[in-house]
């Protein structure tokens, strides 16, 4: 059964889904549909499957459309009976917390970037995003050892996608100087083929 994925090589949420698909051996089941999703330009074709006009959106064989990335990742994991959503209490809550942490950081970074690109960005808003991002990085730096010790989960994937997005869109922030232990963890996880193949690219 093939599944259609509204996809872009730039979206970190799509990347999360693609990393899951690679890790779970499901990537050949996905038919990628290049879909442009921009806040200021709702995409009529995409909206037929997801009225929120957001990617990723996964359309199953029978037309049932799944969103958002949180739901799609769990769906793929269930389909493959995979290990990315641990079931045992301790690992489960840690994985879900890191998943929310990574997605929350991404949400803030995307809003930060939108504000930064405006003609007249609001200074205090930019400062607040920077403050929160650095606080997240310091917190995650303290958790780097726990990240390294736990088997790969959706939490690891979400956090790596947020750090990849920092490299992609916030190159001047030098996040590695704020979180050197996290940087070491990231350089290990980044070497996995699923992460290499899905590095964000322009175009
Ligand atoms: N919570 C959603 C966020 C998805 C999201 O915001 N995707 C962006 C692309 S990176 C998008 O579609 N933006 C278009 C819009 O907000 O209208 C998820 O996890 O899938």
């Amino acid at each position: 059964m093939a599944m259609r994925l509204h996809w872009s090589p730039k979206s970190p949420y799509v990347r999360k889904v693609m990393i899951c698909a690679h890790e779970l051996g499901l990537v050949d089941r996905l038919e990628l549909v290049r879909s442009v999703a921009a806040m200021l330009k709702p995409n009529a074709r995409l909206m037929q499957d997801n009225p929120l006009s957001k990617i990723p959106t996964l359309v199953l064989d029978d037309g049932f459309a799944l969103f958002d990335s949180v739901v799609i990742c769990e769906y793929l994991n269930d389909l493959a009976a995979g290990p990315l959503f641990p079931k045992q209490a301790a690992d489960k809550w840690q994985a879900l917390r890191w998943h929310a942490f990574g997605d929350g950081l991404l949400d803030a970074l995307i809003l930060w970037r939108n504000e930064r690109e405006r003609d007249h960005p609001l200074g205090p808003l930019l400062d607040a995003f920077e403050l929160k991002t650095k606080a997240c990085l310091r917190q995650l730096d303290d958790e780097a050892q726990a990240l390294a010790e736990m088997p790969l989960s959706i939490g690891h994937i979400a956090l790596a996608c947020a750090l990849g997005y920092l490299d992609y869109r916030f190159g001047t922030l030098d996040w590695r100087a704020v979180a050197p232990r996290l940087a070491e963890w990231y350089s290990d996880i980044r070497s996995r083929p699923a992460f290499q193949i899905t590095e964000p690219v322009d175009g």
Side-chain angles (χ1 to χ4, degrees):
M1 181 184 76
M3 299 171 276
R4 254 185 324 121
L5 179 70
H6 288 284
W7 170 94
S8 149
K10 302 180 197 177
S11 162
Y13 305 97
V14 169
R15 184 177 185 211
K16 199 161 53 114
V17 167
M18 291 303 293
I19 290 174
C20 288
H22 280 285
E23 291 285 352
L24 294 164
L26 289 174
V27 81
D28 292 341
R29 306 261 301 264
L30 298 179
E31 179 197 327
L32 305 183
V33 180
R34 178 73 168 93
S35 297
V36 178
M39 257 181 220
L40 288 174
K41 266 202 200 154
N43 175 335
R45 181 158 161 254
L46 171 60
M47 287 174 74
Q48 289 171 2
D49 293 320
N50 178 354
L52 295 167
S53 189
K54 287 195 181 211
I55 54 172
T57 295
L58 182 72
V59 186
L60 307 184
D61 235 9
D62 60 2
F64 189 62
L66 289 175
F67 49 89
D68 59 3
S69 66
V70 174
V71 177
I72 299 170
C73 290
E74 187 163 358
Y75 175 80
L76 294 179
N77 190 67
D78 275 15
L79 196 62
L84 300 178
F85 285 75
K87 299 219 175 355
Q88 296 267 331
D91 281 1
K92 171 178 172 173
W93 296 115
Q94 183 62 284
L96 293 182
R97 175 179 167 277
W98 279 331
H99 192 182
F101 205 155
D103 278 9
L105 179 54
L106 267 179
D107 293 344
L109 292 173
I110 282 172
L111 290 173
W112 183 2
R113 177 164 179 258
N114 284 347
E115 188 63 26
R116 188 182 71 182
E117 312 266 295
R118 283 158 63 100
D119 286 343
H120 304 288
L122 206 57
L125 195 49
L126 297 181
D127 292 346
F129 283 131
E130 181 165 358
L131 184 87
K132 287 190 268 186
T133 299
K134 287 188 171 161
C136 288
L137 288 168
R138 280 191 291 269
Q139 173 67 41
L140 289 167
D141 200 50
D142 287 343
E143 299 182 26
Q145 194 178 337
L147 278 163
E149 282 170 3
M150 198 172 121
L152 182 76
S153 76
I154 188 61
H156 297 78
I157 294 171
L159 287 171
C161 287
L163 297 174
Y165 190 74
L166 274 172
D167 280 343
Y168 182 45
R169 295 295 194 199
F170 290 83
T172 56
L173 187 75
D174 196 12
W175 69 266
R176 287 173 177 79
V178 181
R181 291 168 294 175
L182 184 67
E184 214 170 294
W185 167 78
Y186 179 63
S187 100
D188 279 350
I189 198 168
R190 189 186 179 188
S191 66
R192 293 174 78 96
F195 292 72
Q196 294 277 310
I197 296 163
T198 57
E199 286 267 349
V201 285
D202 277 318

